[in-house]
Amino acid sequence: MKISAVYIAKNEAHNIARSLESIKEAVDELILVDTGSADDTVKIFQSYGGQVFYRQWDEDFSAPRNLALSKATGDWIIILDADESFSEATRKNIRGVLASCSPSAKGLLINMVNYDRDTGEALDEFYALRIVRNLAGLNYKGVVHEQLYIGEDSFYDSQRVAKELLTIDHTGYTASISKEKNQRNLRLMQAAIAGGEPEERYYTSLYESYTALGDTEKALHYARLDVERGRQPITYASRSYRGLMRYYARTDTMEKKLLRCKLTAQAVKDFPELPDFHAEHSESLYQLGRYREAKSEIDMALSLYKNYDGMEPCLLTSEMIPIMKRRQEEMNVMAEQNRDIKISACVIVKNEERNIGGWLENVRAFADEIIINDTGSEDGTKNIITKFSEENPDLDMVLVESVWQDDFAFAKNQCIDEATGDWIVFTDADELFVEPEFVKGYLYNLRNDKEVQALFVPMANIEASDGSVINYFNALRIFRRLEGIHYEGRIHESLALAGRETEMVTHLADKSLLIHHTGYSRDISPQKAQRNLRLMELDIAAGQDIRKLYRYLAECCYMLKNYQSALDNALLATQSPYQPIGQQGDMYWLALNAMEKLAYSHEDRLAIADNGIRLFPELPDFYARRGMILTEAGAYGEASSLFQQSLERLETYNRQDTPTESSNIASVMHELYADLGSCLFNAGEKAAAEAMYRTALNINPWTEKALCGWGDIYDGRPERELLEGLRAVYQTVPDYEPLLQTIFAANGFVELAEYFGGENQQALIRVKSYPWIYNRAMKELAVILPYLYVCLLEHYDEEFAKMVPRGLGNMVKYFHGLADENAIKGHYEEYKTFIREVFAIATPDTVSKYIDMLPLVSASDAELEQHLIEVAGMLLKADKTELALELYNQIPADSVQVNKEFWQRVGICFYNLGQYQAAMECLERAQQDKRTLSYRTWCREAMENGN
């Protein structure tokens, strides 16, 4: 058996001899790759009989390590740094350990003890891969904190060596040189990421370097990213978890307590063997009053500590055990004295098959019982509920089936009658807690605050089509199950206590209980508005005080585009004695929206904005609206000042744990930045204006004011700086060029429109003679043209076909057999111009026939493979999974397109189709990023549940 030892070094004369002394009796070959030493490093190494090779240092640790590996001829290779040496007590065991090693082991994990060389203090210890067999394909990857691979695979089949047999002492991170090393490492990592290496490769190391350099904000950022992806197959993988735990342990707000508990729960899930992680989780549960769970976790921590011998370091010490045992006794007492609270989750539904599954999964995180009142569903809602109940037999569920009475309060009270919990969480099917696991902890913490009867929780209205925030507000969604508690009101019902004239005692929860609500998305709002308006009319006819309903009437009228009635009711609502807590500014905001639609004068709108500023001086909203009106009027200086005031207040608003007033500013942030850009541009600050336009487009890539403002900076010419900036904004937006072409054309930017339009779309570009007619026509054409194209595919009409550009017209003609293959051969760009609209609204037969045209619009087999991949991806996003899979199946196995991203997408297809085993097989061949790991987890859960 021949043993080699390899090093890389530069100016390590003060360390190298100590390391060589520790292995000289065990090794047969010593190899050093020197990267530019100016001291006696090489001389000392050669004095021990070692071979020295030279390589210029080029900011890459893997390169010299790989050179050293290539020179080793031993059966085993010991890999050491100059500041690492085997301990005096174990160095004599090196040969014996290797001789007795299992034949299946490809590498040995050796216990490493980090010492501060200045003080001699032992800092920590962990296991690291330091001895490997001399295997073909052995190589390092990564410019710093490099990892060992076998070919392209991470190193595998490692065996741990007991610390009593082998231990390595490491003195490389002393306090005196830690800052310098971490600055160097950070610089190398940043360069590697900028050069294209995946950032996730360095998450753990970035956390460590920023921690050592005192940049807490960035350290926490990378620690969170590291933890989000789950336990990594590296030694000492728990470092980021520990850093976050230390941070959250120092905070005492409710939100931070809940975040700490969420983190420790994740930690014990990812590292179930670590005693100290169970101890941390126990303490976080105890702080939330969840005593029984806390007791269970501390029991587990003490049990695991007795015989712990894992690879991850355990930071518990024998001195801590008596303290933990006293805490254990305290938790036993508290668990006996305090019974667990019970939570009932309630909902009323009708035809909610698109939402109910998500709602059930959401409330399962905290509910002890689930009560659903179905008021007449005719879709798959009840089937979904039944299936969920069968899959969760331990969860108490009650399904009430009732006849809809045109009365929301009546239906909700039927649920309350069935509830048995201490607390009731009553949400709609389209309302989901962002962090549902926080609900139970929050309510546990209120166990001794008996005065609080109900909770207002923060809510965000979300536009379902793009995930954007419409506005934030507070709503009553959680309350104690008290005697006589019930809802009142046919629509926009309110909670009341029978026989009590005093108002309920409410509490405003912080952002940890944030709910996302998608019920007022663009594709849903008109239908809800019609229904709500009808129910309010019934309420009014039955004697309801109309003053309570002004705000809701205003909202319905606005959704139905009856803007004058919306304005009238909004202004009446501002004067009503019935004002909802925390939502009084909403009607001023809605009034401004309606006035804008009705083209009211700047003066009239400014009067409303001024009222908003006067009444709600801490809100960012009305400063922004006043600034936007003044921008329209050309008062750029005053507008710019108002925008800055708005942004300052927004920063303060976002820092609040419990904002007391709702805000609508999120829905116009893209317009705010676009208008601020206009103000800066008119003040001659072009660079600052460009930054604002870029920010606006990053929020909403189709902010027309920002695109046109950015174009104005470059006088409408496709300059390199503008094009590079646009590409950066739209790098994740597929097929953006035609839309940019349309917007620029509609606003008179002829050169930019021609640049993004391409040679086959120039028929759409016309030099303007009558600007107003041109702009209006182009805007309407941009809306109508995609739908006209789909209609022509469905039903050919020669006159209408003349209205589309020639390339698209040829597609239509071929589709109906009116043109031959040559008319569309190689014209893939025209083919995909409106492909998303085809997939979204065309009939299945048309979609299938359109896909069949793919080989004809591709100029070669290589292009066809690329197009198959691209179109399959579009189909997958359009929820047409089976069609997407058919295209993926057409890709030859030896194609360059069959890469790790390909296998990820195919795996997702199989998952969507419920073929979980096939999905797992594909996902194992995919890139192992966060998305793949999530789908693998879901597949395993589905298979474990018998799906």
Side-chain angles (χ1 to χ4, degrees), residues 93-162:
N93 299 328
I94 295 174
R95 278 197 166 270
V97 168
L98 295 182
S100 61
C101 185
S102 166
S104 63
K106 292 181 173 61
L108 300 182
L109 296 164
I110 311 300
N111 186 58
M112 304 276 294
V113 182
N114 281 326
Y115 288 95
D116 187 316
R117 195 178 63 214
D118 294 342
T119 65
E121 177 188 3
L123 303 174
D124 61 6
E125 59 181 285
F126 59 97
Y127 283 86
L129 186 63
R130 282 294 184 267
I131 305 177
V132 297
R133 292 189 190 273
N134 196 351
L135 303 168
L138 208 60
N139 72 100
Y140 278 95
K141 297 185 188 299
V143 298
V144 66
H145 296 293
E146 57 282 7
Q147 296 292 319
L148 198 56
Y149 285 72
I150 302 175
E152 293 300 315
D153 298 321
S154 297
F155 199 94
Y156 50 90
D157 292 342
S158 299
Q159 175 180 306
R160 182 161 57 109
V161 178

Side-chain angles (χ1 to χ4, degrees), residues 585-600:
D586 290 354
M587 289 298 101
Y588 292 91
W589 185 272
L590 190 147
L592 283 169
N593 289 343
M595 293 171 81
E596 187 176 290
K597 296 288 188 183
L598 295 166
Y600 270 64

Side-chain angles (χ1 to χ4, degrees), residues 50 78 90 96 120 269 277 349 501 571 707 727 828 918:
I78 299 175
T90 66
K269 178 183 176 184
F277 277 15
V349 296
E501 296 183 0
L571 294 176
L707 272 171
R727 289 191 192 101
Y828 176 71

Side-chain angles (χ1 to χ4, degrees), residues 466 670 693-707 710 726 729-734 736 739-740 743:
D466 58 16
H670 57 298
Y693 292 140
R694 188 193 300 265
T695 301
L697 292 169
N698 282 329
I699 297 171
N700 182 340
W702 307 118
T703 307
E704 199 163 318
K705 285 188 288 187
L707 272 171
W710 206 351
L726 289 172
V729 168
Y730 293 96
Q731 59 184 334
T732 59
V733 181
Y736 67 88
L739 289 169
L740 284 187
I743 291 172

Side-chain angles (χ1 to χ4, degrees), residues 198-230:
E199 187 180 50
E200 54 265 27
R201 176 179 289 170
Y202 296 106
Y203 283 164
T204 309
S205 302
L206 285 165
Y207 153 70
E208 286 191 303
S209 288
Y210 279 119
T211 298
L213 295 173
D215 192 333
T216 302
E217 184 177 346
K218 287 185 177 177
L220 292 173
H221 170 72
Y222 284 107
R224 292 186 182 106
L225 290 175
D226 196 12
V227 170
E228 282 173 9
R229 61 182 179 165

Side-chain angles (χ1 to χ4, degrees), residues 410-454:
F410 180 84
K412 286 190 171 183
N413 290 334
Q414 287 179 303
C415 287
I416 292 177
D417 290 343
E418 298 290 338
T420 63
D422 302 287
W423 287 90
I424 294 175
V425 179
F426 215 129
T427 52
D428 292 340
D430 52 15
E431 296 176 350
L432 303 179
F433 287 94
V434 176
E435 302 282 0
E437 60 271 29
F438 286 177
V439 174
K440 181 165 284 191
Y442 201 101
L443 296 181
Y444 266 109
N445 207 59
L446 290 175
R447 132 189 347 264
N448 296 320
D449 195 347
K450 302 298 184 184
E451 288 188 1
V452 175
Q453 297 171 323

